[in-house]
């Protein structure tokens, strides 16, 4: 039955509002206009231009939610709203960013050697309404993207100039469990984005602030508070130059219900919105200063520098009383760091006969100076120290691409070389691991081909080596030399352009091998390895705009992954998605718009032997907007049909108070029940 519903929903289709919906239609969508495109003139079937207004009627709790623009990408929150979401893409459980490279205005978002997990990518410091464009690349095919870009890369670009000033106020409520009292409309979000009055044609500046607060829908009040600030100035230099400088910052604190065992719910110990350890939660802040210089013309040059100051403190309890039957197993993870990064790129365009030649040279530099810790706690009080280390991690990554464009074929060859220096000082014991200095160098060649057939159809072949770095503590501890796993990916597909301004879509088949999933486990301060893995699958996209006031679209990813060195039946990759799908329909009449969206992920194994299943879900969201002159009224309903679904899920060995021994069980965080958000905006 589920498969029949899937076929009907996707192939009818009820799909996403695409860029191919006409410009005059987009102007009638009263929410913010957001352009989503691929920066590269050369691309792959899976990452050409995507939805131009897909954010228009989407709930904007944070910029993290906007990752859902990426076809096949799903996110899951499992430790309160202030923690970075878990990310799933192309058969990868990317954790919080291990296998997806994320940046904002060319400044890195991912945190290497992070206290909680490698590549930790927290986008909550970005105000969603400031995002103008999102560039998406799947696979390790492009030399610009280095570390962590195995499953893909996402680049957020903020506005240089606001189209209009915005003031918004929103409030919301959810269908809470009976145990909760006086929680109605406890969610409040306020936003202001204002252009500086002294802005001119050659100089522009704007300021923004966002305040978000909620008690959530769990039995334990979330007490979540977040404040975001932005200031950005942009000025013209000469005929083609542009210089921008911005400061983005946020501060956040929250309580979390944590991941609860299914058996505790089945036995009536707690509700599915309950918690075992009521002291879980965290606080974090980040301030980033970004300066970017660009030139235009056929030979553009870009130079971006950024400085980030960051702090993170998280209390979690995954195993409850498995290790300490008296005080419990709560842990505290801390991370305090300064990041200095720079990225430069020069493009040269020249001609040889009928061929257009594009030569791109670039490099990125990054230095992280980190103090990282892991502690055993009880009720947020420290009992002992497990890890106390100082890490200095440096990366230098030069790259080059040569693109040759003939009328009948386009060829791009690229090479990226990355140098790493990992330096770890163990404050607990300078003579014990993790401790020491290690250097690594990796070369990553790329080769891509595109063959256009007429004006509407293009065939693509893409291939390339990539990698994700590991935590510096794992690198200096391991002695097998395989601590920066190499990846090789290949993809073949086709993209069909607009047919009579009506239909467009793509299909691609891909494979990605990772030579070792050797990782540092930030939750217990140890290393582990799943060995070699392989993932392969199919991506589908379809967009339809049959009439001016109606648009459909959708995407589906079918994937299969396995551990290559494990016996059959013991070779499942935990939490690797096998089927994901999003689909929606948007209608608009004059100043009134309605969008209905579906997000679906199928059941998948939670461990290597498939003995515990992470449950899939299908959730519908409804959004409406009505604009009267400068005033906008909007409403969003998440989980329209109030489905009981699990957002984050894990196979965990744990012991509850009073249990005789440790039990392996599905632990989960309950997904949002039906929740209503209403708001009022004014644009001037």
């Amino acid at each position: 039955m589920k498969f029949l519903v899937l076929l009907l929903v996707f192939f009818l289709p009820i799909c996403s509002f695409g860029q191919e919906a006409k410009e005059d239609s987009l102007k009638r969508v009263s929410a913010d206009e957001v352009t989503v495109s691929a920066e590269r003139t050369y691309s792959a079937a899976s990452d050409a231009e995507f939805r131009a207004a897909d954010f228009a009627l989407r709930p904007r709790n944070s910029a993290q939610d906007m990752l859902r623009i990426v076809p096949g990408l799903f996110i899951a929150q499992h430790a309160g709203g202030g923690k970075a979401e878990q990310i799933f893409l192309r058969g990868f459980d990317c954790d919080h960013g291990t296998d997806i490279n994320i940046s904002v205005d060319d400044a890195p978002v991912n945190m290497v050697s992070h206290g909680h997990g490698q590549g930790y990518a927290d986008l909550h410091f970005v105000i969603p309404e400031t995002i103008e464009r999102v560039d998406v690349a799947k696979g390790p095919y492009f030399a610009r993207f280095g570390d962590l870009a195995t499953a893909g890369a996402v680049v957020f670009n903020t506005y240089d100039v606001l189209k209009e000033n915005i003031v918004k106020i929103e409030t919301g409520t959810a269908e809470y469990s009976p145990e909760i009292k006086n929680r109605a409309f406890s969610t409040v979000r306020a936003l202001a984005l204002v252009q500086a009055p002294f802005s001119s044609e050659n100089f522009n500046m704007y300021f923004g602030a966002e305040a978000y607060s909620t008690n959530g829908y769990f039995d334990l009040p979330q007490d979540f508070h977040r404040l975001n600030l932005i200031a950005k100035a942009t000025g013209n230099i000469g005929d083609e130059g542009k210089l921008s400088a911005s400061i983005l910052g946020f501060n956040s604190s929250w309580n979390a219900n944590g991941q609860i065992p299914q058996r505790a719910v089945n036995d009536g110990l707690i509700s599915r919105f309950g918690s075992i350890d009521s002291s879980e939660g965290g606080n974090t802040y980040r301030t980033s200063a970004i300066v970017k210089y660009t030139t235009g013309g056929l030979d553009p040059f870009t130079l971006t520098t950024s400085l980030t100051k960051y702090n993170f403190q998280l209390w979690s309890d995954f195993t409850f009383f498995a290790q300490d039957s008296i005080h419990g197993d709560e842990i505290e993870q801390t991370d305090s760091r300064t990041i200095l990064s720079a990225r430069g790129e020069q493009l040269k365009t020249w001609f040889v006969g009928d061929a257009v030649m594009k030569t791109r040279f670039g490099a990125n530099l990054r230095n992280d100076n980190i103090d990282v810790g892991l502690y055993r706690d009880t009720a947020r009080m420290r009992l002992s120290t497990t890890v106390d280390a100082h890490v200095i991690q440096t990366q230098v990554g030069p790259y080059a691409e040569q693109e040759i464009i003939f009328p009948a074929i386009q060829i791009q060859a690229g090479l990226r070389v990355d140098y790493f220096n990992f330096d770890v000082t163990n404050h607990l014991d300078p003579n014990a691991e993790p401790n020491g200095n290690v250097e690594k160098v990796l070369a990553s060649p790329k080769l891509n081909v595109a063959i256009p057939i007429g004006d509407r159809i293009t065939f693509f072949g893409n291939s390339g080596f990539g990698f994700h770095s590991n935590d510096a503590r794992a690198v200096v501890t391991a002695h097998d030399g395989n601590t920066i796993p190499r990846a090789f990916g290949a993809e073949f597909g086709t993209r069909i352009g607009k047919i009579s301004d009506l239909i467009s879509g793509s299909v691609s088949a891909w494979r990605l091998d990772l030579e070792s999933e050797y990782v540092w486990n930030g939750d217990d301060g140890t290393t582990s390895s799943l060995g070699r893995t392989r993932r392969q699958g199919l991506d589908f996209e379809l967009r339809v705009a049959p009439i001016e006031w109606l648009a459909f679209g959708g995407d589906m990813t079918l994937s299969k992954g396995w551990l290559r060195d494990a016996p059959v039946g013991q070779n499942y990759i935990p939490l690797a998605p096998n089927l994901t799908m999003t689909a929606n329909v948007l209608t608009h009449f004059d100043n009134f718009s309605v969008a209905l969206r579906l997000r679906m992920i199928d059941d998948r194994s939670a461990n290597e032997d498939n003995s515990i299943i992470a449950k899939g879900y299908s959730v519908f969201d409804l959004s409406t907007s009505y604009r009267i002159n400068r005033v906008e009224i909007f409403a969003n309903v998440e989980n329209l049909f109030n489905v009981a679904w699990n957002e984050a899920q894990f196979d965990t060995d744990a012991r509850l108070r009073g249990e005789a021994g440790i039990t392996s069980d599905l632990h989960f965080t309950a997904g949002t029940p039906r929740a209503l958000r209403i708001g009022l905006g004014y644009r001037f």
Side-chain angles (χ1 to χ4, degrees), residues 12-13 21 47 68 77 94 131 174 185 187 212 214 252 256-257 302 306 328 394 422 426 459 472 518 527 588 636:
L12 280 177
D47 57 67
R68 291 183 174 133
Q77 176 60 254
C94 300
I131 296 173
F185 293 98
T187 298
Y212 181 82
T214 183
S252 172
N257 71 304
T302 301
S306 69
T394 303
F422 304 91
N426 186 345
F459 290 95
Y518 186 92
T527 57
H588 46 90
N636 303 307

Side-chain angles (χ1 to χ4, degrees), residues 95-149:
D95 196 18
H96 299 285
T98 306
D99 289 286
I100 182 168
N101 182 298
I102 301 175
S103 61
V104 173
D105 291 338
D106 282 343
V109 173
N110 302 80
M111 300 284 180
V112 294
S113 300
H114 189 268
H116 183 67
Q118 176 66 354
Y120 185 88
D122 188 352
L123 274 165
H124 292 110
F125 71 98
V126 181
I127 298 175
E129 283 82 355
T130 63
I131 296 173
E132 178 183 25
R133 192 180 78 250
V134 178
D135 302 327
V136 176
K138 291 184 181 179
Y141 314 132
F142 303 99
R144 172 187 175 183
F145 303 110
D147 192 12
L148 310 175

Side-chain angles (χ1 to χ4, degrees), residues 278-352:
S278 61
S279 63
E280 296 190 58
N283 56 73
T284 184
Y285 72 80
R286 172 176 179 148
T287 302
S288 294
I290 305 171
V291 178
K292 186 173 184 177
Y293 173 72
T294 60
T295 65
L298 287 176
D299 301 325
F301 171 74
T302 301
L303 177 62
T304 305
T305 61
S306 69
L307 178 65
T308 295
K309 182 62 178 176
Y310 171 83
N311 192 75
F312 170 89
Q313 189 174 26
L314 180 71
W315 291 274
S316 306
D317 193 344
F318 305 110
T319 55
F320 308 120
F321 295 95
Q323 301 176 35
D324 188 331
S325 60
I326 298 175
H327 301 100
D329 299 346
E330 182 176 88
I331 61 172
E332 175 189 352
Q333 295 166 317
T334 64
D335 189 297
S336 179
R337 73 176 62 203
T338 301
I339 307 171
L340 176 65
S341 75
R343 177 181 174 271
E345 183 178 283
Q346 175 72 65
L347 177 65
K348 288 289 185 181
T349 302
W350 44 293
F351 304 89
V352 177

Side-chain angles (χ1 to χ4, degrees), residues 171-477:
T171 185
T173 190
E175 297 199 4
Y176 305 107
S177 61
E179 291 85 352
I180 298 177
K181 307 296 182 183
N182 302 319
R183 195 77 68 82
F185 293 98
S186 69
T187 298
V188 178
R189 179 176 184 256
L191 167 74
L193 289 174
V194 180
Q195 198 89 13
F198 49 80
S199 296
S200 64
E201 182 178 350
N202 292 316
F203 177 81
N204 177 80
M205 189 171 187
Y206 67 86
F207 304 91
E210 176 196 22
Y212 181 82
S213 176
T214 183
N215 271 329
Y217 51 88
F218 295 100
D219 295 349
L220 174 72
Q222 196 172 3
D223 196 24
F224 175 33
H225 303 282
R226 186 181 75 238
L227 176 64
N228 293 66
L229 300 172
I230 184 175
K232 186 171 183 179
T234 304
N236 296 329
I237 299 178
D239 294 333
E240 297 182 337
K242 183 170 66 174
L243 180 67
S244 66
S246 58
I247 297 179
L248 298 88
F250 93 121
N251 192 303
S252 172
S253 64
W254 67 94
N255 296 324
N257 71 304
Q259 301 151 29
I260 59 174
Q262 182 66 56
R263 65 184 183 277
V265 178
N266 294 343
D267 294 343
L269 181 64
I270 56 174
S271 77
R272 43 179 289 109
F273 299 104
S275 61
I276 300 295
D277 186 341
S278 61
S279 63
E280 296 190 58
N283 56 73
T284 184
Y285 72 80
R286 172 176 179 148
T287 302
S288 294
I290 305 171
V291 178
K292 186 173 184 177
Y293 173 72
T294 60
T295 65
L298 287 176
D299 301 325
F301 171 74
T302 301
L303 177 62
T304 305
T305 61
S306 69
L307 178 65
T308 295
K309 182 62 178 176
Y310 171 83
N311 192 75
F312 170 89
Q313 189 174 26
L314 180 71
W315 291 274
S316 306
D317 193 344
F318 305 110
T319 55
F320 308 120
F321 295 95
Q323 301 176 35
D324 188 331
S325 60
I326 298 175
H327 301 100
D329 299 346
E330 182 176 88
I331 61 172
E332 175 189 352
Q333 295 166 317
T334 64
D335 189 297
S336 179
R337 73 176 62 203
T338 301
I339 307 171
L340 176 65
S341 75
R343 177 181 174 271
E345 183 178 283
Q346 175 72 65
L347 177 65
K348 288 289 185 181
T349 302
W350 44 293
F351 304 89
V352 177
D354 293 335
V356 179
M357 313 291 285
K358 293 189 175 183
T359 305
R360 179 180 286 108
F361 295 99
N364 67 280
L365 167 68
R366 172 172 179 166
N367 178 267
D368 289 68
N369 194 314
I370 316 162
D371 286 302
V372 63
L374 173 64
Y375 308 91
R376 295 294 176 186
D377 283 29
T378 181
R380 300 194 181 187
M381 298 292 292
R382 291 180 184 175
L383 300 176
S384 63
T385 303
T386 305
V387 174
D388 182 5
H390 180 69
V391 177
I392 299 177
Q393 183 167 330
T394 303
Q395 177 195 5
V396 180
Y399 61 89
E401 286 181 341
Q402 179 60 59
E403 199 168 330
I404 307 172
I405 304 174
F406 295 101
I409 189 171
Q410 302 172 19
I411 302 172
Q412 181 194 70
L415 177 65
R416 181 182 181 93
V417 179
D418 286 275
Y419 163 81
F420 287 91
N421 185 288
F422 304 91
D423 189 275
V424 179
T425 301
N426 186 345
H427 289 316
L428 289 181
D429 185 350
N431 298 313
E433 294 179 336
N435 200 43
N437 182 280
V438 173
E439 295 179 317
K440 297 279 188 179
V441 178
L442 295 94
S444 303
K446 326 276 185 176
L447 180 63
N448 304 295
V449 177
I451 302 175
I453 307 297
D455 296 331
R456 302 187 184 277
I457 300 175
T458 303
F459 290 95
F460 297 91
N462 305 85
S463 63
F465 286 88
F467 64 94
H468 72 240
S469 65
N470 211 325
D471 191 292
R473 291 164 290 176
V475 175
V476 301
T477 301

